[in-house]
C-alpha cells in the first residue's frame, strides 16, 4: 500500500504521485473552490474489474490552518489521520490505497485514493427505499454503536451527513456501518461536544429519515455510550 504520512512528504517519488494525479476518471464530486483552493473526487477508470473501484480525492491548494500548522496543510492529511484513528477504534472506513501531498510551484497538491465500499449504500439511499422496520431499527442501533465508539475514542466526524454514512445488509439482522469523507474530522476530548456536533448535524442533514427514527437513534446512542461494543436491545 503506497500510503505516505506527512513526515514522508519530502521523500515522495514524483513519478508515483504524477501517475495517480493524472489517472483518468469520471468526476463524481466535481472540483469546487474552497479553503483557498479546489477539491474534487474522481471515479478512476477500472484497470481490473475483479477489484473494487477506486475513488481519487484530488486537491490543489485546499488547506486548513491550526495552531500546530499556522501556514496550513492539505485537508487530505487530516482525513488520513482520522481514517487511521477510526480504524483503531473499530469503525469501518474505506480502505486506503494511496495518500500523499507535495508542494508544486509553491502550492500544495494532495491525493487520497480509496477503494469503493462494495455492497454499501448511503443512508440517503436507504431512506429512498422501502426497508423493513425491524431492519431499519437494527441499522439505527449499529449506527448508534459506531458513533458512540468514535466519540468515546475522542473523535468527531465533522461532516456527519446522511450521504457520508454507508450501510450494508449482510443478513436478516446483520448490518454493517461505514463512515467516509472525514476531512473535517478532529479530536474532541469531551464526548458531549463531539456527540452534540455530529448528532445535531445529522439531524439537519438526514435526508428522508423520519422524526421517529431520529428519536430512536438518539435513544440508542445514549445506551451505546455505556456499552459501545454490545448488542443493543430495542
Amino acid at each position: 500500500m503506497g500510503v505516505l504520512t506527512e513526515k514522508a512528504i519530502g521523500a515522495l517519488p514524483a513519478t508515483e504521485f504524477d501517475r495517480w494525479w493524472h489517472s483518468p476518471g469520471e468526476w463524481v464530486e466535481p472540483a469546487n473552490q474552497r479553503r483557498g483552493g479546489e477539491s474534487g473526487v474522481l471515479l478512476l477508470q477500472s484497470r481490473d474489474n475483479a477489484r473494487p473501484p477506486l475513488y481519487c480525492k484530488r486537491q490543489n491548494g485546499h488547506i486548513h490552518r491550526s495552531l500546530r500548522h499556522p501556514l496550513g496543510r492539505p485537508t487530505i492529511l487530516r482525513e488520513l489521520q482520522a481514517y487511521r484513528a477510526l480504524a483503531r477504534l473499530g469503525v469501518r472506513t474505506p480502505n486506503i490505497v494511496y495518500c500523499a501531498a507535495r508542494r508544486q510551484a509553491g502550492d500544495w497538491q494532495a491525493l487520497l485514493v480509496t477503494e469503493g465500499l462494495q455492497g454499501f449504500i448511503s443512508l440517503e439511499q436507504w431512506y429512498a427505499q422501502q426497508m423493513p422496520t425491524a431492519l431499519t431499527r437494527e441499522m439505527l442501533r449499529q449506527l448508534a454503536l459506531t458513533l458512540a465508539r468514535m466519540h468515546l475514542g475522542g473523535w468527531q466526524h465533522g461532516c456527519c451527513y446522511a450521504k457520508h454514512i454507508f450501510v450494508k445488509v449482510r443478513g436478516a439482522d446483520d448490518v454493517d456501518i461505514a463512515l467516509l469523507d472525514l476531512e473535517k474530522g478532529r479530536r474532541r476530548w469531551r464526548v458531549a461536544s463531539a456527540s452534540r456536533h455530529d448528532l445535531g448535524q445529522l439531524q439537519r442533514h438526514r435526508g428522508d429519515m423520519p422524526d421517529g427514527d431520529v428519536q430512536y437513534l438518539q435513544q440508542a446512542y445514549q445506551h451505546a455510550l455505556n456499552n459501545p461494543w454490545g448488542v443493543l436491545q430495542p
Side-chain angles (χ1 to χ4, degrees):
M1 180 173 67
V3 177
L4 298 181
T5 65
E6 185 180 7
K7 293 181 180 179
I9 291 172
L12 178 68
T15 54
E16 186 177 9
F17 189 98
D18 287 336
R19 179 170 63 85
W20 286 111
W21 184 265
H22 295 294
S23 293
E26 177 183 353
W27 290 104
V28 293
E29 182 182 310
N32 54 72
Q33 299 289 327
R34 57 187 177 187
R35 291 183 177 270
E38 62 180 22
S39 176
V41 179
L42 284 160
L43 172 60
L44 300 183
Q45 290 183 3
S46 176
R47 300 174 183 173
D48 183 354
N49 292 330
R51 302 186 63 182
L54 298 181
Y55 291 87
C56 178
K57 179 176 286 188
R58 196 165 71 188
Q59 297 181 344
N60 191 19
H62 191 272
I63 63 173
H64 79 100
R65 292 179 171 84
S66 64
L67 292 176
R68 186 176 180 183
H69 302 281
L71 299 180
R73 68 168 182 161
T75 60
I76 273 178
L77 296 178
R78 181 167 63 171
E79 188 165 14
L80 172 64
Q81 181 184 12
Y83 276 153
R84 288 175 166 172
L86 264 59
R88 291 193 294 269
L89 295 172
V91 175
R92 182 160 185 171
T93 58
N95 291 328
I96 300 171
V97 176
Y98 182 82
C99 183
R102 71 178 181 185
R103 289 276 196 175
Q104 186 78 352
D107 291 326
W108 280 108
Q109 291 180 337
L111 291 167
L112 176 63
V113 181
T114 57
E115 291 183 352
L117 292 166
Q118 292 188 297
F120 283 79
I121 61 172
S122 71
L123 196 60
E124 283 185 332
Q125 293 170 311
W126 180 279
Y127 280 103
Q129 305 176 32
Q130 291 293 327
M131 294 294 190
T133 300
L135 189 60
T136 294
R137 289 290 176 93
E138 177 59 21
M139 179 275 292
L140 293 171
R141 286 194 290 265
Q142 293 302 324
L143 176 55
L145 289 167
T146 298
L147 295 176
R149 286 199 297 271
M150 177 174 64
H151 295 155
L152 289 169
W155 280 87
Q156 173 181 293
H157 188 291
C159 200
C160 196
Y161 297 1
K163 65 181 181 179
H164 298 150
I165 296 169
F166 276 68
V167 184
K168 180 178 182 178
V169 177
R170 296 188 295 188
D173 57 354
D174 188 5
V175 178
D176 198 6
I177 301 291
L179 304 179
L180 72 161
D181 204 348
L182 285 154
E183 67 179 46
K184 293 183 180 179
R186 56 174 294 188
R187 296 302 305 270
R188 279 285 197 179
W189 302 112
R190 296 184 67 249
V191 174
S193 298
S195 62
R196 182 168 57 250
H197 182 281
D198 283 345
L199 291 178
Q201 202 169 50
L202 179 56
Q203 184 169 4
R204 295 190 300 274
H205 300 276
R206 56 180 158 154
D208 293 327
M209 182 189 293
D211 291 341
D213 284 9
V214 173
Q215 295 171 2
Y216 187 89
L217 174 63
Q218 292 172 340
Q219 294 169 358
Y221 176 82
Q222 293 303 317
H223 288 294
L225 289 177
N226 296 319
N227 185 17
W229 293 99
V231 177
L232 299 179
Q233 299 299 319

